[in-house]
Amino acid sequence: MEQNFTPQNQLPVTRYPLSLSIIIPARNEADRLPKTIGRLQDFFQYHSWTLEIIPVIQGNDETGTFICELAQKDPRIKPIIDPQGRGKGRAVRYGVE
């Protein structure tokens, strides 16, 4: 069952500002990633938290095109391109660096 995020069901407000970076290794994810990123955007629009979504694009497929288009519309999306696609572990390291 899918939950829609609204002000009525948001998480409690914290005293201190929260900053969150979400790293998403992305290879052949053009079908799933739009929904995932959309849900993150919906959830965080009701919070004063600082968010950055870091998709690490691995390889050359439709995923990269989609993410780059989203990044032009939303400055919180900060893609990193790894054309050699060296695996999830490397993608996470790229995102952290």
Side-chain angles (χ1 to χ4, degrees), residues 5 40-47 76:
F5 298 105
L40 287 168
Q41 290 169 317
D42 289 347
F43 178 79
F44 282 98
Q45 77 178 341
Y46 296 108
H47 296 279
R76 299 173 299 178

Side-chain angles (χ1 to χ4, degrees), residues 70-82:
L70 270 183
Q72 290 177 350
K73 298 174 189 172
D74 187 340
R76 299 173 299 178
I77 300 173
K78 300 172 182 174
I80 296 173
I81 299 174
D82 173 17

Side-chain angles (χ1 to χ4, degrees), residues 1 4 14 24 43 51-53 57 60 68 70 76 82 85 93-94:
M1 186 165 128
N4 294 321
T14 61
I24 304 173
F43 178 79
L51 169 69
E52 67 178 350
I53 301 170
I57 305 161
N60 296 319
C68 290
L70 270 183
R76 299 173 299 178
D82 173 17
R93 279 190 296 249
Y94 281 153

